[in-house]
């Protein structure tokens, strides 16, 4: 059990490192592509079908989706 938790922690750390490197190495004009790449890594790790980054608007009744990734 402790070995399994250690492996999970190492995997988390590796993914965070990979995502951090994506953002550090990307140019400002590549940020949209970088966010989607990061979502892909997170989605694969979590075995998710979709990830959204949205904002609740000031009226608190609407949301605006800024980024979306879906598994292909």
């Amino acid at each position: 059990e402790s070995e399994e938790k250690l492996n999970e922690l190492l995997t988390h750390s590796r993914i965070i490192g990979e995502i951090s490197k994506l953002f550090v190495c990307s140019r400002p004009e590549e940020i949209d592509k970088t966010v989607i790449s990061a979502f892909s890594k997170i989605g694969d790790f979590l075995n998710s079908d979709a990830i959204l980054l949205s904002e609740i608007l000031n009226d608190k009744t609407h949301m605006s989706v800024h980024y979306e990734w879906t598994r292909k």
Side-chain angles (χ1 to χ4, degrees), residues 44-59:
D44 287 344
F45 176 73
L46 296 175
N47 198 30
S48 297
D49 292 326
I51 297 178
L52 299 172
L53 177 64
S54 58
E55 171 187 17
I56 298 173
L57 301 178
N58 287 336
D59 65 7

Side-chain angles (χ1 to χ4, degrees), residues 32 35-36 39 50-57 62-70:
D32 292 339
V35 169
I36 298 304
F39 279 8
I51 297 178
L52 299 172
L53 177 64
S54 58
E55 171 187 17
I56 298 173
L57 301 178
H62 294 90
M63 261 190 334
S64 175
V65 175
H66 294 282
Y67 294 99
E68 177 179 6
W69 169 85
T70 55

